[in-house]
Amino acid sequence: MATTIDGEEAAHICFRSEESLRRFPGGALPKEAVLDYFSESPFYDRACRNEQARRQALLLSRLPIQPGIPEYVLHTKGVEPHLYIILKQQREDHDTVKRLAIYYVLDGTIYQAPTLHAALSARMARCLFSVGAAFDRFSTGLQIRADKHRSEKTVTASTVATKLQPNTRTVQEIEQVRSTQNS
């Protein structure tokens, strides 16, 4: 492929070449062919050190380090032949490596792994949706209970006052009681 895909759009696509996979027994991709297979995908950057090494028929380790130019490295902790992890990285010097992206090959299909930010954002959005739905259900339940209570009995201010203080007398009643006691 001529163009490379990076960023957000790369997280939503995958690559699989049935034609290339048919070359291997049982369609299982061997470890030695993973980077060659990856180079056919739209994720592969043709300006990388791997491509320069391929054109010069050299091992990647034989090329001098060129700061700012990415390279692809097969991560050693995969589950052969089903899962391989490919790291896209930039070397600043022999000791300093900056990871740019992570790809994985799962049963012959290549995907870009989501970034930590994308994964956490998706989980937070899912949590906020669930919390919002719970609040909606809760508030609907409160309205139903309040409406049911109002329809059973109409509550007035005088009813509440009588229920709260049943022994309360009005000022006129108190004056009548005093006048009868004084007489």
Side-chain angles (χ1 to χ4, degrees):
M1 304 243 160
T3 60
T4 60
I5 298 175
D6 281 329
E8 287 296 315
E9 62 187 49
H12 301 289
I13 67 165
C14 62
F15 173 81
R16 183 176 181 87
S17 173
E18 294 294 335
E19 182 180 316
S20 296
L21 290 173
R22 274 189 236 124
R23 291 184 281 169
F24 308 109
L29 196 59
K31 183 177 181 177
E32 300 76 31
V34 173
L35 287 175
D36 288 332
Y37 179 68
F38 183 77
S39 70
E40 298 175 18
S41 76
F43 301 112
Y44 187 73
D45 184 357
R46 303 260 179 245
C48 69
R49 291 184 68 228
N50 302 67
E51 191 65 26
Q52 293 173 7
R54 182 184 297 182
R55 280 189 233 127
Q56 296 175 22
L58 294 173
L59 293 173
L60 186 61
S61 59
R62 295 281 190 188
L63 274 182
I65 291 176
Q66 299 164 318
I69 297 180
E71 65 185 17
Y72 297 95
V73 178
L74 185 63
H75 190 51
T76 56
K77 294 182 181 171
V79 182
E80 296 180 33
H82 302 288
L83 176 66
Y84 298 100
I85 299 168
I86 299 171
L87 308 174
K88 180 179 183 181
Q89 59 191 25
Q90 270 181 331
R91 288 194 176 277
E92 301 304 323
D93 55 42
H94 285 288
D95 299 327
T96 309
V97 176
K98 178 182 175 187
R99 184 157 303 139
L100 303 175
I102 300 173
Y103 303 93
Y104 59 98
V105 183
L106 180 63
D107 290 327
T109 304
I110 302 171
Y111 304 91
Q112 181 174 358
T115 62
L116 180 61
H117 177 266
L120 290 177
S121 294
R123 291 206 180 217
M124 288 298 294
R126 216 173 304 133
C127 288
L128 289 174
F129 175 79
S130 298
V131 168
F135 275 121
D136 289 344
R137 278 190 233 125
F138 181 69
S139 66
T140 304
L142 286 178
Q143 288 174 340
I144 290 170
R145 286 189 190 118
D147 292 343
K148 182 179 176 186
H149 182 68
R150 279 191 208 116
S151 66
E152 287 176 358
K153 186 174 184 180
T154 305
V155 179
T156 62
S158 63
T159 313
V160 171
T162 321
K163 286 189 175 191
L164 291 177
Q165 300 172 349
N167 296 328
T168 305
R169 297 180 181 170
T170 62
V171 173
Q172 291 173 345
E173 292 173 335
I174 294 171
E175 287 178 1
Q176 282 178 349
V177 170
R178 283 185 187 163
S179 64
T180 54
Q181 289 175 350
N182 292 339
S183 0

